Every structure is written in structure tokens, then in C-alpha cells.
Amino acid sequence: MKRFMVMLNGNINKDPPPTKLLDLAGQLCQNLQSSSPVLEKLVGAMMGCKHKTHFLTNIHVVRACVSVHVHKGQHDRACKLLEYCKAEEKEELVQLWHEIHYQRVMEKHHMDFLTPLQKFRSRRRNPPPISLCPQGLKNRNYSDEVRQQLHRFAAEVTRNPNKKQREGLARDMNLRPSQVYNWFANYRRRQK
């Protein structure tokens, strides 16, 4: 930690900061995960300097900063940090985004854990920003045309197609047989 602070102060005017400094920051954040007061001091030093955006390219630094903000109850700051960080591990950033919101829900309702349904609802209410999902959020819904064909088959042929019928439908609609199977299972459940 002392070595990092000396390097940080020695390179305060260099832009961009040396790679050694950024690597050391990531290594320290990875090693200090359980040591909250020291980690808070480290995060404060990194976020208080002008090289803040350079530090936020390292996933270990981002994770440490989010952890400190969440520990302090600063969920909005943690979300803002994720929204503007430049780390390349997008899937992990999305997972951190969801974990922040899970923590917020648990604190609000004084709970120790969330059920899968509660997590699902939290993800639905708090989708990650486009900066974390540049290709867009995955759409799990079928097109109107596919849904109409499936509904028509359920109404005119059967609500419980056999394996051969499911494979034919899957081929016709460019789906996997398991998707057709699940759609009909959910359809029958909704009809009850």
C-alpha cells in the first residue's frame, strides 16, 4: 500500500499513468478484498486523483470500488461508477450491476438472501445501462409471427405435441426443439 501511494504521488502529473501503477492498483485491490479499512483508503486515493478513469479500466479496481460503495450504502454511486467505467469484462460488470441491486433490495426489506424469483424481478426492474450491454439486452421473447404459429398449432392441432411434431415446429420456425417443448409447457400452465 505504501509503495502504491508513493508511486501515485510520484506520477500525479503523468498522463496516462505508468502501466506499473495501474497493475499495482489492480493487484492491491485483488489482495485487499477482505480488508475493508485499507481497501477504503486505497479506493479513496484512486478515485480522488485525476487518473481515476485509467484505474477504472481494471476489473479488480472496479470490483473493489463497487464493494466499498455498496458497503457504505452508496448504491447509486456504485451504479454510476459501473456505467462509466472502461473495463472490458462486460459480463462481469453486468453481474456486479445486478448484485448492487440485489443488495439494495435485501437492505430495503431487511433480508439475508433473495429467492430466484426476487432476483429475477430485481433484474427486470433494473436493467443494466447500454454502456454495459453495447449489443443490447437479450430478448427472450419470440416474434409475433412465431407466437401466432405456436398459438395456432395449439388451438388447431394439440396443446401437447409429441417429439416428432415439436421437431417439425422447431425446424419450421428456426427454434430448438427444447424451446418448442418449453413454450408448450408454459402455454399449458397458463391455460389452467
Side-chain angles (χ1 to χ4, degrees), residues 102 115-125 140:
Y102 298 159
T115 66
L117 179 60
Q118 290 167 322
K119 287 182 178 182
F120 171 77
R121 287 178 177 156
S122 173
R123 289 190 304 271
R124 282 299 269 233
R125 289 184 187 121
R140 300 179 87 130

Side-chain angles (χ1 to χ4, degrees), residues 4-13 21:
F4 172 77
M5 295 306 286
V6 168
M7 278 181 76
L8 181 64
N9 291 329
N11 293 290
I12 201 86
N13 293 321
L21 179 65

Side-chain angles (χ1 to χ4, degrees), residues 3 6 22 89 110 115-116 124 126 154 157-158 164-165 171 188:
R3 192 172 116 210
V6 168
L22 300 176
E89 295 83 354
H110 308 290
T115 66
R124 282 299 269 233
N126 306 290
V157 181
T158 180
K164 196 171 185 177
Q165 290 170 319
R171 225 181 359 267
R188 288 189 301 272

Side-chain angles (χ1 to χ4, degrees), residues 28-39 67:
L28 280 171
C29 287
Q30 196 172 7
N31 295 341
L32 294 173
Q33 286 177 351
S34 61
S35 179
S36 190
V38 179
L39 187 62
S67 171

Side-chain angles (χ1 to χ4, degrees), residues 153 157-158 160-170 172 180:
F153 189 90
V157 181
T158 180
N160 197 0
N162 62 32
K163 185 175 181 180
K164 196 171 185 177
Q165 290 170 319
R166 289 192 306 267
E167 288 171 353
L169 284 168
D172 294 345
V180 174

Side-chain angles (χ1 to χ4, degrees), residues 3-186:
R3 192 172 116 210
F4 172 77
M5 295 306 286
V6 168
M7 278 181 76
L8 181 64
N9 291 329
N11 293 290
I12 201 86
N13 293 321
K14 289 189 180 176
D15 198 26
T19 308
K20 275 185 180 179
L21 179 65
L22 300 176
D23 291 342
L24 181 59
Q27 191 177 20
L28 280 171
C29 287
Q30 196 172 7
N31 295 341
L32 294 173
Q33 286 177 351
S34 61
S35 179
S36 190
V38 179
L39 187 62
E40 282 185 35
K41 184 177 177 185
L42 176 64
V43 166
M46 288 186 294
M47 295 302 103
C49 78
K50 73 176 191 174
H51 301 307
K52 173 176 157 176
T53 55
H54 293 286
F55 287 116
L56 292 176
T57 59
N58 184 306
I59 190 65
H60 302 298
V61 172
V62 171
R63 199 180 304 121
C65 292
V66 166
S67 171
V68 167
H69 288 315
V70 169
H71 182 73
K72 291 180 175 181
Q74 300 169 334
H75 300 98
D76 291 335
R77 284 185 76 182
C79 289
K80 281 280 186 224
L81 186 137
L82 281 179
E83 203 169 337
Y84 297 108
C85 78
K86 301 293 181 204
E88 294 183 11
E89 295 83 354
K90 297 300 184 188
E91 284 184 25
E92 191 167 344
L93 295 174
V94 168
Q95 186 59 39
L96 281 170
W97 176 271
H98 292 313
E99 287 172 13
I100 291 167
H101 289 91
Y102 298 159
Q103 188 66 37
R104 182 181 267 166
V105 171
M106 288 189 295
E107 287 175 13
K108 180 180 178 184
H109 298 290
H110 308 290
M111 304 163 79
D112 294 329
F113 66 94
L114 296 179
T115 66
L117 179 60
Q118 290 167 322
K119 287 182 178 182
F120 171 77
R121 287 178 177 156
S122 173
R123 289 190 304 271
R124 282 299 269 233
R125 289 184 187 121
N126 306 290
I130 196 73
S131 62
L132 298 183
C133 301
Q135 73 282 8
L137 295 173
K138 291 181 184 173
N139 185 356
R140 300 179 87 130
N141 298 329
Y142 300 128
S143 68
D144 288 339
E145 181 183 329
V146 168
R147 278 199 312 276
Q148 286 172 359
Q149 283 182 307
L150 290 169
H151 278 287
R152 194 174 318 117
F153 189 90
E156 296 173 3
V157 181
T158 180
R159 291 174 26 183
N160 197 0
N162 62 32
K163 185 175 181 180
K164 196 171 185 177
Q165 290 170 319
R166 289 192 306 267
E167 288 171 353
L169 284 168
R171 225 181 359 267
D172 294 345
M173 291 178 262
N174 200 20
L175 299 173
R176 293 187 311 275
S178 61
Q179 290 176 297
V180 174
Y181 177 87
N182 289 332
W183 187 89
F184 276 98
N186 290 332

